[in-house]
Amino acid sequence: QKEVEQNSGPLSVPEGAIASLNCTYSDRVSQSFFWYRQYSGKSPELIMSIYSNGDKEDGRFTAQLNKASQYVSLLIRDSQPSDSATYLCAVRGYGQNFVFGPGTRLSVLP
Amino acid sequence: EAGVTQSPTHLIKTRGQQATLRCSPISGHTSVYWYQQALGLGLQFLLWYDEGEERNRGNFPPRFSGRQFPNYSSELNVNALELEDSALYLCASSLIGGSSYEQYFGPGTRLTVT
């Protein structure tokens, strides 16, 4: 059973702080990794994709991948109240199957 | 560029009835995925269609079925509805191959079974 695990939260951070979201996965042959943001009652929105070890930055977001440790993270710098949402980690193995984690609920406090 | 569209937005059915949900992918995308998200739960993979063929299905009973049309739009059918089928049904599309396998989601169809 391929699994993707995330802390369910809620993770609370003050406005302006760095939010750190973590994800681990069990399938060693996983190829691609994705972070989605989902506001309550809405559909998931793709934030970042990362395919190779290291860091990938896009604006206030940085994704970090460590395949040896089977670990992927998302850092949100200068967190804003509008960042308050559930963040989903998704992992693609061979083939096109995506496995989604249960999500981490982030709350950014003004 | 238009995103993934789904219809209807809301659907209310009675237990035992059938529901049909529709999805149009982003132009140029050939793969369509269906997910179920019950209230407070994570995304559960239902079905994957590519080039008109069912490529994979999740751990759901056969009363969940679908198809993909020549224009790559897709339909999800749920027969013999049960109360626990009440959920947000999400469709996503992607372009297979190349360097990107990113899935983009539609707004979802909220199905309520009474």
Side-chain angles (χ1 to χ4, degrees):
Chain A
Q1 179 75 11
K2 300 178 179 63
E3 293 183 350
V4 177
E5 297 184 350
Q6 300 179 252
N7 290 327
S8 61
L11 172 65
S12 295
V13 301
E15 183 175 355
I18 295 175
S20 178
L21 304 161
N22 304 317
C23 171
T24 59
Y25 58 94
S26 63
D27 187 0
R28 285 193 167 273
V29 299
S30 296
Q31 301 289 302
S32 312
F33 307 86
F34 308 86
W35 284 99
Y36 288 82
R37 176 174 62 196
Q38 186 174 26
Y39 292 112
S40 181
K42 301 296 185 181
S43 63
E45 171 192 9
L46 180 67
I47 301 173
M48 297 274 291
S49 57
I50 185 166
Y51 303 97
S52 54
N53 282 328
D55 295 0
K56 179 181 177 182
E57 186 175 317
D58 184 0
R60 295 187 296 113
F61 299 96
T62 298
Q64 299 175 318
L65 174 61
N66 184 325
K67 290 186 178 180
S69 300
Q70 296 176 241
Y71 175 91
V72 59
S73 66
L74 180 70
L75 300 177
I76 306 175
R77 290 181 299 280
D78 189 24
S79 296
Q80 300 297 308
S82 58
D83 294 326
S84 298
T86 296
Y87 289 80
L88 304 172
C89 172
V91 175
R92 184 186 72 89
Y94 276 124
Q96 306 308 321
N97 280 9
F98 271 45
V99 179
F100 281 83
T104 297
R105 191 153 53 93
L106 172 66
S107 178
V108 180
L109 307 174
Chain B
E1 178 182 285
V4 178
T5 60
Q6 291 187 245
S7 63
T9 303
H10 294 91
L11 190 56
I12 299 175
K13 292 286 186 178
T14 303
R15 189 172 56 182
Q17 287 187 317
Q18 178 195 38
T20 298
L21 289 64
R22 296 180 175 84
C23 171
S24 291
I26 292 171
S27 177
H29 285 190
T30 61
S31 271
V32 170
Y33 306 80
W34 287 96
Y35 295 89
Q36 181 195 67
Q37 189 175 38
L39 191 62
L41 299 181
L43 270 72
Q44 302 297 316
F45 168 69
L46 269 165
L47 291 159
W48 167 37
Y49 293 94
D50 183 59
E51 298 285 0
E53 300 285 333
E54 181 180 303
R55 301 297 183 182
N56 204 359
R57 66 179 293 127
N59 188 25
F60 281 84
R63 59 190 186 84
F64 287 84
S65 65
R67 55 180 170 166
Q68 186 178 34
F69 300 99
N71 66 353
Y72 303 115
S73 66
S74 177
E75 192 174 89
L76 174 69
N77 295 295
V78 188
N79 294 321
L81 284 164
E82 300 179 2
L83 295 178
E84 52 265 34
D85 296 333
S86 294
L88 180 66
Y89 288 83
L90 292 160
C91 169
S93 74
S94 73
L95 180 63
I96 301 303
S99 61
S100 173
Y101 295 87
E102 297 168 345
Q103 292 188 12
Y104 295 90
F105 284 85
T109 292
R110 185 160 299 281
L111 173 64
T112 302
V113 183
T114 62

